[in-house]
Amino acid sequence: MTDAKANRAARRRKRKGRKSNMSLESKEQLGESAPPQTSPPPSPPPNPKRRKVDAPSNSKSRPGFLEKMRMRLTGGHFRMLNEKLYTCSGNEAFDFFKNDPQLFDVYHAGYQEQMLHWPEKPVNTIIKWLKKHSSSWVVADFGCGSATIAKNVKNKVFSIDLVSNDPSVIACDMAHTPLNSSSVDVAVFCLSLMGTNYPNYLDEARRVLKPSGQLLIAEVRSRFDPNNGGADPKKFFEAVNQLGFSLSSKDFSNKMFVLLYFKKTERNSQVQNIEWPELKPCIYKRR
């Protein structure tokens, strides 16, 4: 083959290579895909023996072990203190908390926790009743706790309890208050007839009440349930009547507590010994 022929043959091969490349580029422009690439092999399945690590729990939504133990200890202290208040006299309770006032805070913290389980609180019912009557009435709140009544009405309120963490609360035995005789219009006992000498508290209320003054008692319903070891309501009404009160109305509609409304009358001087029924202690069960 001559050199001229060899050159022509080389040029033809070069032109064919260019056409072949142009054909491939044209196919890509027309959307014809290139041969599919092989996909990578699937990842191996997780090792079933590998232990799953749980995310740390949210301490705000679920109490930890130490918090649960603290709650149990607090609840235990409350139940112990609650039982003591029901099974000792008012004077003994006053001396007990006077020696260690912090125990009173423990008791009321537990009391507030128990009230969270009540669909309706008797203190709110009493506050509504007071707001419907004269704001000029003077009120004595026996066993006031955190002085809820005084904080929610316009009336002048003497808040009385065994311990005072508030300058407005009078710390004393409820059977012996510093209030003047015939100085208040309404005496309130909201879940506070707790001592074994509870009749002395009611006698003190009679002393400080003005003529025709009002006596309001809210108590746990089971304490007035004879079928469950509680006192006979009729016997209680009769004893309060002999003390010098007449029953104005009663409300047993609530499943948790009863409300009793009395008015001060002349005390029966012929009655020397009143037969008071025993009020069943209200002992909270462990939760």
Side-chain angles (χ1 to χ4, degrees):
M1 180 182 296
T2 61
D3 292 337
K5 289 182 179 180
N7 290 336
R8 285 196 295 272
R11 284 196 294 272
R12 282 196 297 269
R13 288 194 298 270
K14 191 175 182 179
R15 283 198 297 269
K16 287 181 179 181
R18 284 200 298 267
K19 287 182 180 180
S20 153
N21 291 336
M22 291 176 62
S23 176
L24 180 59
E25 292 175 358
S26 301
K27 288 181 179 181
E28 292 176 353
Q29 291 175 358
L30 290 174
E32 296 182 15
S33 60
Q37 297 181 358
T38 57
S39 58
S43 58
N47 187 354
K49 295 184 179 180
R50 182 178 298 170
R51 298 179 62 182
K52 183 179 179 181
V53 179
D54 295 331
S57 60
N58 188 345
S59 59
K60 293 184 179 180
S61 61
R62 185 172 60 184
F65 174 77
L66 293 178
E67 178 64 14
K68 288 181 179 179
M69 290 301 296
R70 187 194 68 79
M71 292 169 64
R72 288 183 180 180
L73 289 172
T74 301
H77 286 160
F78 164 72
R79 287 187 294 274
M80 180 271 292
L81 295 171
N82 183 70
E83 184 172 353
K84 183 172 183 62
L85 287 174
Y86 275 107
T87 55
C88 71
S89 68
N91 186 55
E92 290 172 337
F94 178 69
D95 290 339
F96 177 77
F97 285 115
K98 186 177 181 180
N99 292 331
D100 194 347
Q102 290 184 350
L103 291 178
F104 197 68
D105 296 334
V106 174
Y107 169 77
H108 272 286
Y111 172 83
Q112 292 297 332
E113 196 278 333
Q114 290 292 333
M115 285 294 101
L116 294 176
H117 302 283
W118 287 39
E120 183 179 359
K121 299 178 180 61
V123 68
N124 293 335
T125 304
I126 293 173
I127 289 171
K128 291 178 183 177
W129 184 90
L130 287 170
K131 287 183 176 181
K132 292 179 181 178
H133 294 81
S134 175
S135 60
S136 65
W137 282 358
V138 179
V139 181
D141 184 7
F142 288 79
C144 66
S146 56
T148 302
I149 292 178
K151 296 174 183 177
N152 287 277
V153 298
K154 295 180 180 180
N155 306 68
K156 177 178 177 56
V157 180
F158 291 106
S159 300
I160 303 166
D161 218 322
L162 295 170
V163 174
S164 173
N165 294 325
D166 185 324
S168 66
V169 176
I170 302 170
C172 65
D173 174 5
M174 292 193 301
H176 305 284
T177 71
L179 303 183
N180 294 327
S181 298
S182 302
S183 60
V184 303
D185 299 280
V186 183
V188 175
F189 289 87
C190 185
L191 307 181
S192 55
L193 291 179
M194 301 180 69
T196 54
N197 63 324
Y198 80 88
N200 298 127
Y201 306 160
L202 296 176
D203 194 27
E204 178 68 358
R206 186 201 60 80
R207 182 187 71 82
V208 303
L209 276 171
K210 297 176 182 178
S212 300
Q214 307 283 333
L215 170 65
L216 273 63
I217 298 175
E219 264 304 333
V220 179
R221 186 184 180 92
S222 63
R223 303 190 79 193
F224 290 96
D225 183 2
N227 298 322
N228 194 30
D232 185 341
K234 292 182 180 180
K235 292 183 178 180
F236 181 78
F237 300 157
E238 177 61 25
V240 177
N241 178 262
Q242 293 176 12
L243 182 63
F245 293 92
S246 63
L247 180 65
S248 301
S249 64
K250 58 183 183 296
D251 184 357
F252 281 74
S253 62
N254 193 284
K255 68 178 183 179
M256 302 297 290
F257 60 88
V258 300
L259 281 165
L260 307 174
Y261 301 83
F262 297 90
K263 180 178 286 189
K264 183 179 177 180
T265 60
E266 290 297 326
R267 187 173 187 176
N268 190 344
S269 59
Q270 295 180 354
V271 177
Q272 306 225 346
N273 296 315
I274 301 176
E275 293 185 10
W276 290 93
E278 181 180 355
L279 290 183
K280 174 185 175 182
C282 181
I283 307 300
Y284 290 97
K285 297 179 180 179
R286 180 173 181 177
R287 294 183 177 272

